[in-house]
Amino acid sequence: MRTPMLTPIVRTLIVINVIVFMVQSFNSHYDDQITSLFGLHYFTSERFNPIQFVSYMFVHGNFMHLFSNMLGLFFMGPLLERYWGEKRFLAFYFITGIGAGLLYMGVKYYDYSVLEEATRAYILHPDLSMFNKFLEQFYPMGIPSEAYSYIPSSGRITLQDSIIVAEESLRAVLNTPTIGASGATFGVMAGFAMLFPNTELIVFPIPIPIKAKYLVALYALYEFYGGIHKTPGDNVAHFAHIGGMIFAFILIKLWSKNRNNFY
């Protein structure tokens, strides 16, 4: 596949994402403020704002997070924009990104409900001997940084300390946002695979061409597996990626409903 010429909407999206990341990188205070204000928070969080369903797509956690998302948009976005035109491509990008956020919110509703129930049960019947096991089971990524300040410097945690840490850990999870253009980018990937299914791509460093439909299908399977079997330390919103793909599929089917030859 040849390197595409950047189209206006793709170029603008990449530039905005890069500018936001540069501001984030200027200092940690800016990074915290931008992530807190524009990252997508759970709907019961005090930091939730409906505009975050759009703004979260322009905030990234680190350079590789930004680079991988913009790389997919750079290679596959221009062909879709030329095929549909600027307005329809922009609508597709935002609808798939918003859809990814909606599905992720639904999955988080289930996860957070389980977490909240377990934490409330511990608070009602605290057991210091079971405290570490409780954290390992329900907070596999470790105690959220916001809760660390409630652990005594001596390291000796009392029963009351454990209750405070459990409460603050739950609050920290509630206020941890999802960020990144991954949902929209995976939507673009799915759209590309549907429109140009037999286009051959090469994924570095494997020098073997693979058709777009197979590559995207493998990505979808990987994301689904990663979402079902999350490992400790995995902070990737796998179901947001799946959400972008699902909404891309639905949207393209709706747009192609009255066309005889969509591809």
Side-chain angles (χ1 to χ4, degrees):
M1 178 182 174
R2 295 180 180 179
T3 302
M5 293 287 290
L6 278 180
T7 45
I9 297 300
V10 170
R11 183 188 302 113
T12 301
L13 290 171
I14 291 176
V15 168
I16 293 173
N17 275 279
V18 170
I19 290 174
V20 172
F21 183 73
M22 289 175 65
V23 175
Q24 287 181 258
S25 303
F26 190 73
N27 65 46
S28 59
H29 176 70
Y30 289 169
D31 186 20
D32 292 341
Q33 289 296 310
I34 289 173
T35 301
S36 178
L37 287 173
F38 301 113
L40 179 59
H41 291 82
Y42 188 58
F43 68 91
T44 61
S45 169
E46 58 190 14
R47 301 177 186 176
F48 172 71
N49 188 321
I51 195 65
Q52 292 168 355
F53 277 107
V54 173
S55 61
Y56 90 100
M57 292 183 251
F58 297 95
V59 184
H60 290 84
N62 53 54
F63 175 76
M64 287 307 300
H65 189 200
L66 172 73
F67 179 76
S68 60
N69 284 333
M70 295 303 101
L71 190 66
L73 181 60
F74 175 83
F75 278 108
M76 300 185 184
L79 287 174
L80 295 181
E81 185 175 340
R82 290 193 188 97
Y83 185 87
W84 282 323
E86 295 177 12
K87 291 182 179 179
R88 178 159 286 197
F89 174 74
L90 187 62
F92 178 83
Y93 184 85
F94 280 117
I95 290 172
T96 54
I98 293 170
L102 287 170
L103 182 62
Y104 177 73
M105 194 74 78
V107 172
K108 191 166 184 177
Y109 172 79
Y110 171 77
D111 289 341
Y112 185 76
S113 296
V114 173
L115 186 63
E116 184 178 36
E117 183 179 349
T119 303
R120 296 306 176 201
Y122 178 82
I123 292 171
L124 288 173
H125 304 285
D127 183 346
L128 194 56
S129 65
M130 298 293 290
F131 179 60
N132 288 331
K133 185 176 181 180
F134 163 75
L135 290 179
E136 289 174 1
Q137 182 175 358
F138 293 101
Y139 296 94
M141 294 177 63
I143 300 174
S145 58
E146 294 88 338
Y148 269 116
S149 60
Y150 295 92
I151 297 179
S153 57
S154 64
R156 296 179 179 177
I157 301 177
T158 65
L159 196 60
Q160 185 61 35
D161 291 332
S162 74
I163 294 174
I164 294 174
V165 170
E167 289 177 331
E168 292 304 316
S169 295
L170 184 66
R171 184 187 298 275
V173 170
L174 177 65
N175 290 325
T176 299
T178 184
I179 56 176
S182 302
T185 301
F186 270 79
V188 168
M189 289 172 55
F192 185 91
M194 292 181 70
L195 289 170
F196 312 105
N198 295 316
T199 300
E200 292 188 334
L201 307 171
I202 294 179
V203 181
F204 183 83
I206 304 173
I208 301 174
I210 180 172
K211 290 183 178 181
K213 58 186 178 183
Y214 299 134
L215 177 63
V216 172
L218 288 173
Y219 261 117
L221 289 173
Y222 169 77
E223 294 298 331
F224 184 76
Y225 179 84
I228 296 295
H229 303 279
K230 285 185 74 74
T231 57
D234 182 3
N235 61 352
V236 177
H238 294 284
F239 281 107
H241 302 171
I242 294 294
M245 290 181 161
I246 291 173
F247 273 79
F249 177 83
I250 294 172
L251 195 56
I252 288 177
K253 286 299 183 181
L254 288 175
W255 285 349
S256 64
K257 190 174 182 180
N258 297 321
R259 300 180 61 170
N260 294 324
N261 185 12
F262 184 64
Y263 299 111

